[in-house]
Amino acid sequence: MNRGASTAALVALAALAAPAAGADTSLRLAGATEHLSNGSPAWRESTAGVQLGFAPRQLLDLSVADVHRFGLHDSQFAASATLPLSAALTATVDANASPTHRVLARRSLGAALQYEFAPRWLLHGGARASSYDSATVNGYQFALEHYIGRYSVMLGWRPTRAFGATAHGAELRANLYYGERNSVGVIAAGGKEAASVPGSVVLTDVRSLALLGRHWFDPHWSLTWGASYVRQGSLYTRKGMNAGLQYAF
């Protein structure tokens, strides 16, 4: 997934990063809409998912998405698994596939590691290969994250390899944690990345800003929400909003 993928994808990441404490299973529904400046039809996305927790840091997540972009309709199935390799090291593998793949990748496979090398200091590293009809895009992520009281800050570098060239992007995330499991965060990103448009994949300059959060109303119900602004080079500007509801058993 690239940074310009969708508001829904950003908020889904926030939901997966904060699973329900002490709950074996959670169910979620989410929806998003994004409006484009170039007169293209609005993007719409609906997602349903289930997350299974077997032990601390042992998670399996399955989801299905219905996606409308540029007037085209795609479906996507996704799965991810998280497993602790040691007290400080956690691994995640994920895959998704789109049987229609008119705009989405035909298939994508990724893996990531998170390492707590000192108290409240984390290193993140990951790689993803995405196959489209017209190209294969290899993306990488390297990030340093630090927790300070109720806050966290993460600085990341995201190189992307496509068409025999390497593009580079940077990302800054900051989060405020309030209550037991609630959070509000902001993501600012810039650089070059691959963008899928009907019939092709192109490398473009991107500037994006997103605000996202998660709030638990009680031990079972939580709300995820988000808003974003993305300038995809000279192609278009997107403004989006997202909301999701999760129930934990």
Side-chain angles (χ1 to χ4, degrees):
M1 182 194 69
N2 54 50
R3 289 185 305 277
S6 69
T7 308
L10 291 173
V11 178
L13 285 176
L16 295 178
D24 290 335
T25 301
S26 63
L27 304 174
R28 68 182 183 278
L29 293 172
T33 182
E34 299 182 76
H35 296 279
L36 279 66
S37 62
N38 63 356
S40 294
W43 289 14
R44 301 191 314 277
E45 184 171 338
S46 301
T47 305
V50 57
Q51 183 172 271
L52 307 174
F54 304 101
R57 295 188 294 148
Q58 289 188 20
L59 303 171
L60 174 64
D61 190 271
L62 305 172
S63 66
V64 58
D66 183 75
V67 179
H68 295 259
R69 297 183 184 175
F70 306 109
L72 301 174
H73 177 211
D74 271 340
S75 57
Q76 185 180 70
F77 301 92
S80 69
T82 299
L83 183 70
L85 301 182
S86 70
L89 186 63
T90 303
T92 298
V93 294
D94 68 274
N96 60 62
S98 173
T100 51
H101 55 82
R102 298 179 179 93
V103 178
L104 299 180
R106 177 190 296 269
R107 56 185 174 271
S108 179
L109 180 64
L113 291 173
Q114 174 184 288
Y115 178 58
E116 186 175 8
F117 65 92
R120 306 179 76 84
W121 285 92
L122 300 173
L123 282 174
H124 302 268
R128 174 178 301 281
S130 300
S131 298
Y132 299 85
D133 287 342
S134 61
T136 296
V137 178
N138 295 315
Y140 307 90
Q141 177 186 12
F142 307 95
L144 175 66
E145 185 175 14
H146 182 45
Y147 287 80
I148 309 165
R150 297 189 300 152
Y151 301 90
S152 70
V153 178
M154 185 173 75
L155 179 63
W157 169 48
R158 290 177 174 264
T160 299
R161 183 74 177 172
F163 309 110
T166 301
H168 300 276
E171 180 177 276
L172 176 65
R173 299 190 181 207
N175 292 285
L176 165 65
Y177 302 94
Y178 64 96
E180 184 178 353
R181 293 177 287 165
N182 306 324
S183 64
V184 176
V186 62
I187 304 173
K192 278 186 173 291
E193 67 176 34
S196 177
V197 297
S200 67
V201 176
V202 295
L203 290 174
T204 66
D205 290 306
V206 175
R207 301 290 184 271
S208 64
L209 183 66
L211 182 68
L212 61 159
R214 179 186 183 95
H215 182 81
W216 285 88
F217 298 102
D218 59 35
H220 298 290
W221 290 98
S222 70
L223 172 72
T224 55
W225 56 268
S228 68
Y229 173 88
V230 179
R231 180 162 59 85
Q232 196 87 38
S234 60
L235 298 178
Y236 50 76
T237 297
R238 297 197 327 261
K239 298 178 182 178
M241 299 185 67
N242 172 286
L245 193 63
Q246 179 168 329
Y247 180 77
F249 292 73

